[in-house]
Amino acid sequence: MSKIRVLVTDDSVVIRRLVSGVLNDDPAIEVVGTAINGRASLQKIEQLRPDLVTMDVEMPEVDGIEGVRRIRAAGHTVPIIMFSTLTERGASATLDALAAGASDYVAKPANVGSVGRSMEQVRDALIPRIKALVPSRGLAAAPQAGATARPAPTGGPVSLRPAAPVPAGGHKLLVVGSSTGGPDAVQKLLAALPPLPVPIALVQHMPPLFTRQFAQRLDRQTRFDVVEAEHNQVLRPGMVAIAPGDFHMEVVRDARGLVTKLSQGPAENFCRPAVDVLFRSAAHVTGAATLAVVLTGMGSDGAKGAAPIVAAGGSVVAQDQATSVVWGMPGAIAGAGLAEEILPLDQIAAAIARRLVPSGIAVMTGRNS
């Protein structure tokens, strides 16, 4: 099987050499070229036709954000992974790049003390993403939207669960999990939803600073009151609480109603926040009145937490393979037989509305006012 061909884009010769060395050490990856800015990256893409591009955010002449815009405007669909700094500015710029069409991001090594440690950080963060975004050649084509049986990540058949009956008192909570490709997917989902009679608790795999920037953007872009969750925060309809980076988020109940609980317990699925933690808490607190949605993402976070939601009588909906940037998390849901529906992203809002919204309220299809 041929290697994954990567183009490395960075204005720093040190970073280009470090990233190229790390990637070339992996037997499944080959660095086929380097570029010093976004303009040169587009030229190299057209010359070399790489399978994936890594892109620094801050570069002279044409920075990473503009580089992504130009690459997408030229019609290239090659996956792009951004290299960002763990700062407020870096977080904002990275979200701009994701909105422009970048596929994912990794943090640049900082304050690690040695070249060896920097290489280890890059290897651990970058290589799994490259392999997830460029799956092995020769796999079966993505299934058609609307099919009732789909190949799981392991290649086995997938069956859908019968729809759970609507709970007597209606649903009380919508929980959402996402990772790679999630920022764009979440924004599109929230923009398409009508007002909901329940709160939304959401885990997006992101580091600190990024989750706050993400929440602020969604608050501006959608009809919902989107916040980076705080400990012991009361959840109310119309509110979206996003788990802060490096904190697990649970939903618990007290005299005030549903509230958030933040903690820094051990990472699960190598993640903190973890979708499994949120989903397990929802199964315990709202049980059959829980609706869970799993969007695009690498790995399998959410599958173990979705199982108790289903066992309690709740419902799970997963994004389909064709519209997912990476069909890891929703694919794990599908493979475990936990989903009632496996849908394209643009149909998930309607599926949520059917379960949560009284009849007669239309689902918005664009940005909400």
Side-chain angles (χ1 to χ4, degrees):
M1 187 174 293
S2 59
K3 294 184 178 183
I4 299 171
R5 295 160 47 84
V6 177
L7 172 66
V8 175
T9 307
D10 201 295
D11 63 310
S12 166
V13 64
V14 173
I15 296 297
R16 291 200 303 271
R17 287 175 178 171
L18 186 151
V19 173
S20 296
V22 166
L23 297 185
N24 281 326
D25 281 344
D26 191 288
I29 300 173
E30 176 188 7
V31 175
V32 295
T34 61
I36 61 171
N37 59 31
R39 181 175 60 201
S41 186
L42 176 56
Q43 293 171 346
K44 291 290 183 73
I45 287 170
E46 294 175 343
Q47 294 169 4
L48 301 172
R49 301 294 173 176
D51 299 309
L52 182 139
V53 176
T54 68
M55 180 84 70
D56 188 22
V57 172
E58 297 185 12
M59 296 179 290
E61 297 185 42
V62 177
D63 65 16
I65 301 167
E66 180 60 25
V68 171
R69 292 192 182 110
R70 293 187 183 188
I71 290 167
R72 295 300 183 234
H76 297 294
T77 59
V78 58
I80 302 172
I81 299 177
M82 306 303 297
F83 264 81
S84 61
T85 55
L86 287 175
T87 63
E88 292 277 4
R89 180 177 176 181
S92 179
T94 300
L95 290 170
D96 285 341
L98 292 172
S103 309
D104 202 358
Y105 64 93
V106 297
K108 278 191 171 183
N111 303 317
V112 294
S114 70
V115 173
R117 180 61 182 144
S118 294
M119 294 180 71
E120 182 182 350
Q121 279 195 4
V122 171
R123 182 181 301 109
D124 292 346
L126 187 56
I127 288 179
R129 285 173 167 81
I130 290 174
K131 293 180 178 179
L133 289 167
V134 188
S136 299
R137 294 166 179 80
L139 289 179
Q144 295 298 311
T148 57
R150 300 168 183 275
T154 58
V158 170
S159 59
L160 300 179
R161 294 183 57 81
V166 177
H171 287 88
K172 303 299 181 185
L173 179 66
L174 171 61
V175 288
V176 180
S178 57
S179 184
T180 310
D184 182 60
V186 168
Q187 191 279 329
K188 289 178 178 176
L189 175 63
L190 294 182
L193 283 170
L196 297 179
V198 304
I200 303 172
L202 185 147
V203 166
Q204 163 68 43
H205 294 159
M206 276 184 167
L209 301 179
F210 282 64
T211 46
R212 181 166 68 238
Q213 291 275 348
F214 185 44
Q216 290 171 352
R217 286 182 180 231
L218 292 176
D219 188 61
R220 294 192 301 267
Q221 294 171 345
T222 73
R223 66 164 68 245
F224 295 93
D225 177 15
V226 186
V227 300
E228 183 185 53
E230 298 178 357
H231 183 65
N232 206 30
Q233 187 169 25
V234 178
L235 298 174
R236 51 182 172 72
M239 176 181 182
V240 180
I242 297 178
D246 204 33
F247 284 84
H248 289 311
M249 180 173 70
E250 298 174 81
V251 176
V252 299
R253 190 187 298 277
D254 67 13
R256 299 169 294 167
L258 299 178
V259 299
T260 58
K261 176 184 175 183
L262 304 182
S263 67
Q264 290 189 300
E268 296 193 23
N269 308 298
F270 308 100
C271 301
R272 190 170 63 207
V275 180
D276 278 340
V277 173
L278 172 63
F279 281 15
R280 283 199 308 268
S281 71
H284 178 71
V285 174
T286 50
T290 306
L291 173 60
V293 174
V294 180
L295 302 176
T296 174
M298 186 173 68
S300 61
D301 191 21
K304 290 182 179 178
I309 291 176
V310 169
S315 298
V316 180
V317 174
Q319 185 174 350
D320 75 349
Q321 184 175 6
T323 63
S324 294
V325 174
V326 177
W327 206 54
M329 288 167 48
I333 294 289
L338 296 169
E340 293 180 3
E341 294 184 275
I342 303 171
L343 299 170
L345 178 62
D346 63 4
Q347 295 180 23
I348 294 177
I352 293 171
R354 283 197 303 271
R355 292 168 170 83
L356 303 186
V357 180
S359 59
I361 300 179
V363 177
M364 304 296 292
T365 55
R367 177 175 173 177
N368 298 308
S369 57

